[in-house]
Amino acid sequence: MFYYLLKRAASLFLVLVGLAILIFVIARIVPGDPARIALGPLASAEQVAQMREQMGLDLPFHTQLWNYLVGLTHGDFGKSLLTSRPVSADIMQALPATLELVLFTIVIQIVLSIPLGVLAAIYRDTWVDNVSRIISLIGVVTPGFVLAIILQLMASYVFTFFPVTGRLDGGLDFSADVTGLLLIDSILAGRPDVFGDAFMHLILPATALAAAGIGQVMRITRSSMIELSGRDFVEASRAYGVPERVVTFKYMLRLACVAPLTILGLEFASLIGNAFIVEFVFSWPGIASYGVRTILQKDLNAVIGVVLVSGLFFVIANLVIDILLGILDPRHRLREGASK
Amino acid sequence: MSVDSTTTTQGTAHRNMTSGQMAWYRFTRNPAAMIGAFIVLSVIVAAIFAPFLAPSPQSAGSFVDFRNRHTAPNAEFWFGTDNVGRDIFSRVLFGYRVSLGMVIGVLGFAVPFGVVLGLAAGYFGGWIEFAIMRFTDVMLAIPPLAMALAITAVLSPNLINAMIAITMLWWTWHTRLIYRIVRAQMSEDYVEAAKVAGASHTHIMFRELLPNCVSAISVKISLDAGFVILFGAALSFLGLGVQPPTPDLGTMVSTGSEYLPEYWWEALMPGLAILYAILGFNLLGDGLRDMMDVEV
C-alpha cells in the first residue's frame, strides 16, 4: 500500500510540474509586455524598462522559468498587480471560502447521489427509477449559472429565508481564524447563530454546484449496483441465505462505491471550474471570484497562481480518491502496484 | 433507457433486418433519443433560418426600442423584451447561430487533432505513446474552465479566443477515447493481417483502425456539442466570450441577471434556451450510444 501511494504521488507530482511549466509558457508567449500592463499606458519607456528589470523579464527565458519554479517550491507566486500584495497571501485569504463551498458540495453530492443511485437500482424500472433518471438528466444538462440564477429567483420569490449573496450576514461579527471554515470555526467558538447563518448561505451555491455531479454519480451508482447484483459472489451469498439487506448494503454497496468515487475525482476539475461561475453569481469571496477579478485585469501572476492552486486541488483530490479506492477494493492497489 | 426491453423483442421479431436497419429501429423506438433528435433539429433550423423565423430580426443587433423595454412575455414578445426593448425570442434564435458556430469551430479542430494523436499513441506505443499520453494527463489535470478563463484573459476576450481556449482543452478527451479503442483493437487479427500484408503505418491507422472508431467518435461529438455550448455560454456569462451586441445566449443571461428578480425573463429565457439545446444534444448522444452500442 505504501509503495502504491508513493508511486501515485510521484506521478501526480510530475503532472503538477508539467502544469506549472505549461501555464508559465502560455503566459509568456502571449503578446503584450507584462511590465507595460502592470504600469498602464501612461508610464514612460524608462519606467517600463525599470519594471522589466525588477520583474526579471530581461533574463533569458529558461532562467525566468527556473526562477519561477524555484519560487513555487516555497509558495512564492510573485506579486499581484491588482492588489500589490503577494499572490500567495491573496490566495490564502480567499481559499477557505472556496474550500468550505467545495467540501460542502462534495458532502451533498455523496449524501444524495449514492443512496438515490442505490434506490434506483433496487427499484429498477419503477417510478422511483424514472424519477431518479429525470433528476439526473436535469442535473447533467443544466448549466451551473442557469441553475444558480433559477435558485436566486426562487430565493427572492419563494424561499425568501435563503440569503442570496456572500458567506455571512453583515450584521454578524465573527472572524474565522482557526481553520477559516465558518462551519467549523463557529462550532469551536460556540456560536450557533454564526453556524446557522453560514449554513444558510452555503445551501444555494452548493446546490447549484452539486447538481451536475449528483446526476452523474447517481447513474453510475445505479448501473454498478445492477451489474454487481448478477455477479457470482452475490448469487452465492444469496444462496447461502444471507439476508438481501446484508447482501445489498454490506457486500454490494462497498464495491458499488468504486465507480462513483472515480467519477467524483474526475468531476472535481469541473467542480472547481463551475465554482468560478457559482462564486461569481453568489458573490462568494473565494479564489474563483479572485480569479475572475484578476483575469479581467490581466493580472498574470495572480491568474497563474489561481490556475496552479486549482490544479493542485485536483491532484490532491485524486490522490485521496486513490487511497479510498485502495481501501474499498484491494484489487485496485494490487493491480496498480504490480504494473511495472 | 427503455432500449433494454426493445432490443430483446426486436431480436426475435425482426431477424431478417440488416444491422443498420436494426440500429435505426432501436433508435426510433427510443423516445428519449427521438425527442433529442427533434430538439437538435429545431435548434439547427432556428440557427439557419433565424433571419426569416425571428419576429423581430432587427433585435439581433444594437437596435433600441425604449417604449417596449422590460416587457414581460406576452403574445407579441414570446420571451419578453430586454433592457433596451429588444425581442428576446428573436435574439435567442440568433444566439443559436453563435452557439452552433462555436460547436463547429471547436469540434472541427479538436476532434481531428485529438483523434490523430490518439491513433498515433495507440498504434505506435513506446515513447510516442508515453509522450502523448503524459501530455494528455497534464492537460486533463487543468480545471478546464479555469484554464479557458486564463487563456481568454491573456488573449483578450472575444468569440474567436474563447473558441481557441476551448479547442486547446477539448482534444484531450478524444485522444483518450481513441487511444483506448485502438489499444483494444491492436490485438485483433485484421490489424495483424494488414501488417503482414505490408500495409503502411498510415494505411493501418486511417484505413483499418479509424473506421472502427467512427461510431464512438460520432456519439462523443453529439454529447460534446452540448457541453461546448455550455462551456461557451459560461465563458460569455463571465464576460470573457462573445461581446455585445452580438446576440449570444451566455451574454444575454449575464446582462439579464442585472435586472433580477423583477425582470426575471431577461435572464431566465436565454438560460432555458441554453438548457434546451444541451438537453437535445445529450438525449441524442445517449440515443446514438444505445443504438450503436459503444462505450464512450
Side-chain angles (χ1 to χ4, degrees), chain A residues 24 91 94 114 127 132 194 336:
Chain A
F24 188 82
I91 289 181
I114 293 185
W127 64 271
S132 95
V194 175
E336 294 282 326

Side-chain angles (χ1 to χ4, degrees), chain A residues 45-117:
Chain A
E46 289 109 68
Q47 282 172 311
V48 173
Q50 204 184 350
M51 189 67 171
R52 284 186 65 86
E53 201 185 317
Q54 215 180 339
M55 291 168 83
L57 292 169
D58 292 327
L59 299 168
F61 181 76
H62 59 269
T63 324
Q64 283 188 45
L65 177 63
W66 179 249
N67 288 345
Y68 185 75
L69 289 178
V70 170
L72 284 184
T73 54
H74 36 263
D76 178 11
F77 293 105
K79 220 164 146 192
S80 160
L81 301 178
L82 181 69
T83 60
S84 324
R85 300 191 329 147
V87 170
S88 49
D90 282 344
I91 289 181
M92 282 315 284
Q93 196 185 8
L95 197 56
T98 299
L99 217 53
E100 185 162 45
L101 178 61
V102 167
L103 289 177
F104 192 76
T105 302
I106 292 175
V107 170
I108 292 186
Q109 285 182 333
I110 293 174
V111 166
L112 283 182
S113 57
I114 293 185
L116 281 174

Side-chain angles (χ1 to χ4, degrees), chain B residues 88-154:
Chain B
I88 294 178
F89 180 69
S90 304
R91 286 179 67 74
V92 164
L93 295 184
F94 280 94
Y96 279 141
R97 292 191 143 186
V98 178
S99 298
L100 288 186
M102 204 168 215
V103 169
I104 294 168
V106 168
L107 296 181
F109 285 101
V111 173
F113 188 67
V115 166
V116 169
L117 282 184
L119 275 174
Y123 177 71
F124 291 111
W127 68 267
I128 296 180
E129 173 189 355
F130 182 84
I132 293 176
M133 296 320 290
R134 285 299 84 76
F135 184 55
T136 312
D137 282 347
V138 172
M139 294 301 284
L140 283 169
I142 309 173
L145 195 66
M147 187 64 184
L149 289 171
I151 297 174
T152 43
V154 285

Side-chain angles (χ1 to χ4, degrees), chain B residues 279-292:
Chain B
L279 177 71
F281 280 108
N282 240 281
L283 290 176
L284 178 66
D286 277 341
L288 288 176
R289 174 167 53 195
D290 291 339
M291 171 176 125
M292 303 191 199

Side-chain angles (χ1 to χ4, degrees), chain A residues 316-331:
Chain A
I316 293 174
N318 277 285
L319 196 60
V320 170
I321 299 243
D322 271 329
I323 296 171
L324 286 177
L325 288 180
I327 293 169
L328 284 172
D329 186 353
R331 284 173 307 177

Side-chain angles (χ1 to χ4, degrees), chain A:
Chain A
M1 184 76 184
F2 176 73
Y3 177 68
Y4 156 71
L5 282 181
L6 199 71
K7 240 191 67 170
R8 293 295 300 153
S11 74
L12 290 173
F13 176 73
L14 277 183
V15 167
L16 266 189
V17 174
L19 179 61
I21 295 175
L22 186 74
I23 292 175
F24 188 82
V25 171
I26 291 177
R28 281 290 176 273
I29 55 171
V30 296
D33 182 351
R36 169 60 72 185
I37 296 169
L39 291 168
L42 293 175
S44 69
E46 289 109 68
Q47 282 172 311
V48 173
Q50 204 184 350
M51 189 67 171
R52 284 186 65 86
E53 201 185 317
Q54 215 180 339
M55 291 168 83
L57 292 169
D58 292 327
L59 299 168
F61 181 76
H62 59 269
T63 324
Q64 283 188 45
L65 177 63
W66 179 249
N67 288 345
Y68 185 75
L69 289 178
V70 170
L72 284 184
T73 54
H74 36 263
D76 178 11
F77 293 105
K79 220 164 146 192
S80 160
L81 301 178
L82 181 69
T83 60
S84 324
R85 300 191 329 147
V87 170
S88 49
D90 282 344
I91 289 181
M92 282 315 284
Q93 196 185 8
L95 197 56
T98 299
L99 217 53
E100 185 162 45
L101 178 61
V102 167
L103 289 177
F104 192 76
T105 302
I106 292 175
V107 170
I108 292 186
Q109 285 182 333
I110 293 174
V111 166
L112 283 182
S113 57
I114 293 185
L116 281 174
V118 172
L119 270 182
I122 295 175
Y123 300 101
R124 181 161 27 142
D125 296 327
T126 64
W127 64 271
V128 180
D129 192 17
N130 289 330
V131 168
S132 95
R133 180 175 294 150
I134 290 169
I135 292 175
S136 82
L137 184 67
I138 293 173
V140 171
V141 300
T142 311
F145 62 98
V146 174
L147 185 59
I149 280 172
I150 293 174
L151 287 174
Q152 274 199 333
L153 268 178
M154 284 165 75
S156 45
Y157 284 118
V158 194
F159 309 111
T160 41
F161 43 88
F162 281 123
V164 289
T165 52
R167 271 181 98 189
L168 205 56
D169 202 62
L172 286 168
D173 176 38
F174 184 77
S175 72
D177 28 40
V178 189
T179 58
L181 307 180
L182 286 171
L183 287 184
I184 294 174
D185 283 2
S186 61
I187 294 176
L188 292 177
R191 292 280 301 272
D193 55 329
V194 175
F195 182 86
D197 190 59
F199 185 78
M200 292 302 268
H201 274 89
L202 267 169
I203 296 277
L204 293 184
T207 310
L209 203 48
I214 289 179
Q216 285 206 11
V217 174
M218 205 157 86
R219 298 318 290 169
I220 297 280
T221 311
R222 173 186 179 273
S223 55
S224 67
M225 283 295 278
I226 288 173
E227 200 255 323
L228 282 166
S229 70
R231 289 272 195 85
D232 288 345
F233 81 97
V234 174
E235 294 291 348
S237 313
R238 285 193 185 120
Y240 277 130
V242 178
E244 190 61 37
R245 186 168 39 83
V246 178
V247 174
T248 307
F249 291 104
K250 204 168 161 199
Y251 300 160
M252 279 161 57
L253 186 57
R254 177 179 167 142
L255 282 176
C257 285
V258 170
L261 275 178
T262 319
I263 292 289
L264 271 180
L266 291 172
E267 268 290 292
F268 199 78
S270 59
L271 198 63
I272 296 174
N274 279 325
F276 274 84
I277 287 167
V278 170
E279 287 191 3
F280 187 75
V281 176
F282 288 96
S283 317
W284 194 261
I287 59 165
S289 295
Y290 175 69
V292 172
R293 244 186 12 251
T294 52
I295 281 168
L296 290 173
Q297 297 294 322
K298 290 194 177 287
D299 185 349
L300 279 186
N301 281 340
V303 173
I304 297 176
V306 169
V307 174
L308 272 180
V309 168
S310 356
L312 179 69
F313 265 118
F314 177 74
V315 164
I316 293 174
N318 277 285
L319 196 60
V320 170
I321 299 243
D322 271 329
I323 296 171
L324 286 177
L325 288 180
I327 293 169
L328 284 172
D329 186 353
R331 284 173 307 177
H332 183 79
R333 57 174 187 260
L334 285 176
R335 185 167 55 230
E336 294 282 326
S339 66
K340 276 185 262 179

